[in-house]
Amino acid sequence: MHLMMILIALAVAWWLRSSWREPQGSWNLRWRRSLFLFLFPPLLIFMTAIAVLFMGPQGNMGGMYTGSISYLLALIYLAIFAILCIQLAFQGWQSVESARNCPLVNVGDRRARLLQTEAMFAGQIGFWQPELVVSQGLLQALSPNHLESVLAHEQGHYQYRDTFWFFWLGWVRSCTAWLPNTEPLWQELLVLRELRADSYAALQVDPLVLAESLLLVVSSSPVSSEICCAALGSSSADRLEQRVEALLAPPEITSEAQFQSWHGFLLAFLPLVTVIFHS
């Protein structure tokens, strides 16, 4: 019976991921749909494994006896989840320590770590309380107005705690790389993250200046890490046009209440209900 639960969870997860198509609609609609299809399948599998582990290798459920094979599979899967989390956390810690070795400088009215490279880079590096990191090349190449727009964009990443939340999303990506459309959904979430930070910055600086800054930074040599890092030019080149067009278009009105649509994720916890039928 437990093995049947695992197979059903895998089938549902595979079907949901396979249903993803090229994004259309408003930023808010794209974000909610992509986040649901990215998170719900692994959450369902994870909750199923937790339920099987909690019920143990012995007993019966619905009149059917359970065996140790499904219990062992769940244990192995959860162990892999834990190992990948530790691995990513260690890599993130290394990124943070590397940033902290850079000297502190004043950039406008902000404090930042100075990266000694001619490449243009600006990003938040860390977990819940990330630090702003800028490169020597960026400070030399950008005018004060362009630099201020870059800093406003990075403040958007800080405001939304992107480094923290995308660390966990990156963990989910590593754990479910075998599911269909994992990488396209990941890239979609990355560009939506950048669009959100762009929108935040556009409320404080001239969107045209921010678009010019984006073009300048992306055209330079990339210096970025996907782990615990949120940088202005971190999205792929084929999404650059999309970001520039969004900056030049009228601002999109979104409701904060729409971002709290988490009730659909409660269905992923249904496997835990089966525990009460186990004896």
Side-chain angles (χ1 to χ4, degrees):
M1 189 64 180
H2 290 175
L3 188 58
M4 187 181 299
M5 287 176 54
I6 294 174
L7 292 176
I8 290 174
L10 291 174
V12 172
W14 193 277
W15 173 72
L16 283 174
R17 280 292 187 84
S18 299
S19 69
W20 186 81
R21 297 294 180 268
E22 282 298 317
Q24 293 180 348
S26 65
W27 179 94
N28 180 40
L29 180 62
R30 287 171 57 188
W31 174 262
R32 286 186 294 153
R33 175 172 170 77
S34 298
L35 189 63
F36 179 81
L37 290 178
F38 188 80
L39 274 183
F40 184 88
L43 185 60
L44 178 65
I45 296 172
F46 184 77
M47 289 298 107
T48 302
I50 289 289
V52 171
L53 198 66
F54 188 82
M55 288 185 284
Q58 296 179 343
N60 65 79
M61 181 178 172
M64 299 176 63
Y65 286 99
T66 59
S68 58
I69 296 179
S70 55
Y71 179 84
L72 185 60
L73 288 174
L75 189 61
I76 292 173
Y77 194 72
L78 291 175
I80 293 174
F81 265 44
I83 291 171
L84 288 174
C85 183
I86 294 171
Q87 181 182 13
L88 287 176
F90 178 71
Q91 294 174 359
W93 174 80
Q94 286 182 314
S95 297
V96 172
E97 287 300 304
S98 178
R100 287 176 178 171
N101 289 331
C102 298
L104 276 169
V105 294
N106 290 319
V107 183
D109 58 348
R110 298 174 177 88
R111 297 279 284 174
R113 298 284 180 178
L114 182 63
L115 191 63
Q116 300 292 341
T117 176
E118 294 302 314
M120 288 193 288
F121 173 81
Q124 298 283 350
I125 296 180
F127 291 91
W128 185 256
Q129 292 286 349
E131 287 192 276
L132 176 63
V133 178
V134 297
S135 68
Q136 186 70 44
L138 184 86
L139 299 181
Q140 294 173 348
L142 297 187
S143 67
N145 285 342
H146 286 105
L147 183 59
E148 182 59 31
S149 68
V150 170
L151 297 180
H153 173 93
E154 294 307 323
Q155 183 61 34
H157 284 309
Y158 183 89
Q159 178 72 22
Y160 293 110
R161 309 291 180 181
D162 283 335
T163 52
F164 177 79
W165 296 116
F166 272 79
F167 167 78
W168 295 109
L169 291 176
W171 173 52
V172 171
R173 173 201 181 195
S174 299
C175 295
T176 58
W178 50 274
L179 282 175
N181 291 318
T182 295
E183 193 59 27
L185 279 167
W186 171 252
Q187 294 300 327
E188 173 71 359
L189 290 173
L190 284 179
V191 76
L192 290 172
R193 178 188 74 176
E194 297 306 315
L195 286 170
R196 181 171 63 179
D198 288 343
S199 178
Y200 177 91
L203 297 176
Q204 305 174 54
V205 299
D206 186 347
L208 181 59
V209 175
L210 179 58
E212 292 173 350
S213 303
L214 176 61
L215 290 171
L216 289 170
V217 173
V218 171
S219 64
S220 71
S221 302
V223 179
S224 183
S225 169
E226 287 189 346
I227 303 175
C228 302
C229 177
L232 178 71
S234 61
S235 63
S236 56
D238 61 330
R239 303 300 180 102
L240 177 60
E241 181 180 355
Q242 183 181 162
R243 290 179 62 186
V244 172
E245 288 178 352
L247 283 170
L248 301 182
E252 184 178 312
I253 305 300
T254 56
S255 170
E256 285 295 324
Q258 290 179 304
F259 293 116
Q260 308 303 322
S261 302
W262 294 98
H263 56 271
F265 288 95
L266 294 177
L267 294 174
F269 292 86
L270 282 178
L272 297 179
V273 178
T274 62
V275 175
I276 63 178
F277 300 105
H278 185 269
S279 60

